Amino acid sequence: MTASSRALASLLLAATASACLDVGAPKPVAVGFLTQSAHSDDSTGYLLAPEATFYGNVNLAVNNPPADSCFIAVVQSTGGDTPIYTTLDAGPGIFTRLGTTRQDTLLPVLSGGILSYRPRLGERIPFVPGDSIEIVVPGAAVGFPAVMLQSRTSEAFTHDPIPTPTAVAAIPFTWTPAPAPGSAMVLSLRYANSFSSGAVNEQIYCGFVDDGSATVPANLTTGWVNSLDGRREIRVTRLRTKTTLLDGGRRFTFISTFTLPLPAFPSGF
């Protein structure tokens, strides 16, 4: 899977990532996404893994998970084939500024006919979660138009241990609330159900207002309580998204995530 396919897959898999890429938008348009995930620097700090991809004539739009709602979903693999869309040129490089000083350029990478923008191979971008970010897309005469977007990266957080009740019951969830408005919290309680061949294959997937506390309803916890051989995993993500609208319904969206446990640094970066 190319890096651009990986980024698209992370959006398409609503139940394994933190945002839902809705394929039922009103009409096909040109859309762009810059996804930015947080990773450990193997010490006490954090690194970014940003990737931008621009698509032509598609009906894709990011939908955040509904606030204070939970549902049962399958756990989908991030490997394998993903839908392939026509990608667009958006200029010689995508320029980012973190805080007031850190500036970087994401350069075009063409792999398997898919064009995306990433840091130079092996380049690491340190940052403080919660930093402001400015993104400048210069645009291309035949491709995606110029656009500038300013936003905030997802802040770091901690959460209390998530219990496993001995019987079906509501599950309390508490975490460090966001210091600034505009974010959501996503909780994925993954478990192996009775049809599993070994790995976790089902989950309780929740979107919560980022105020520091929530509850998973009791009527959804049967699978978590009765997981096969006690196989369970927890993913918690703070999600920030911001979309800028352009002429003709075209859109550019920034997606920032901070996930615990911190994911491994992606290959290809």
Side-chain angles (χ1 to χ4, degrees):
M1 179 185 294
T2 66
S4 58
S5 296
R6 176 194 57 78
L8 181 58
S10 71
L11 293 170
L12 286 169
L13 299 178
T16 52
S18 305
C20 173
L21 202 58
D22 181 6
V23 296
K27 66 175 182 177
V29 293
V31 296
F33 303 95
L34 191 150
T35 61
Q36 170 260 298
S37 53
H39 306 269
S40 172
D41 68 355
D42 295 326
S43 182
T44 59
Y46 302 96
L47 300 171
L48 286 182
E51 181 172 12
T53 314
F54 303 84
Y55 303 95
N57 199 38
V58 295
N59 59 344
L60 302 176
V62 171
N63 285 335
N64 288 352
D68 290 339
S69 65
C70 299
F71 56 89
I72 302 297
V74 297
V75 173
Q76 301 185 53
S77 170
T78 56
D81 295 332
T82 58
I84 299 300
Y85 300 97
T86 300
T87 51
L88 301 176
D89 182 5
I94 308 303
F95 309 108
T96 65
R97 183 176 67 187
L98 286 164
T100 58
T101 57
R102 174 81 195 198
Q103 299 186 53
D104 295 278
T105 302
L106 310 185
L107 299 174
V109 176
L110 185 63
S111 177
I114 304 298
L115 177 66
S116 62
Y117 292 79
R118 294 178 308 201
R120 289 178 178 85
L121 184 63
E123 181 178 358
R124 297 294 181 253
I125 302 177
F127 84 118
V128 176
D131 274 348
S132 62
I133 186 169
E134 180 179 275
I135 304 163
V136 177
V137 179
V142 180
F144 199 81
V147 61
M148 191 272 283
L149 182 150
Q150 293 178 317
S151 188
R152 181 183 180 98
T153 60
S154 288
E155 302 88 350
F157 65 92
T158 60
H159 65 84
D160 290 338
I162 297 173
T164 300
T166 56
V168 173
I171 298 175
F173 172 45
T174 55
W175 67 93
T176 311
S183 60
M185 290 299 290
V186 178
L187 173 65
S188 172
L189 299 181
R190 307 175 180 192
Y191 52 87
N193 65 20
S194 58
F195 299 102
S196 171
S197 59
V200 295
N201 63 334
E202 194 170 75
Q203 64 185 316
I204 310 170
Y205 185 80
C206 301
F208 295 124
V209 173
D210 197 351
D211 59 7
S213 64
T215 301
V216 178
N219 66 320
L220 298 180
T221 63
T222 300
W224 177 256
V225 171
N226 298 313
S227 63
L228 181 66
D229 297 330
R231 295 170 188 166
R232 303 181 184 93
E233 296 177 2
I234 297 171
R235 299 286 186 278
V236 185
T237 298
R238 172 163 283 147
L239 168 69
R240 288 189 177 272
T241 66
K242 185 174 182 180
T243 296
T244 294
L245 298 178
L246 298 94
D247 292 343
R250 293 174 291 188
R251 301 179 300 273
F252 177 63
T253 299
F254 171 66
I255 303 163
S256 175
T257 58
F258 187 99
T259 297
L260 293 179
L262 287 169
F265 207 81
S267 61
F269 277 76

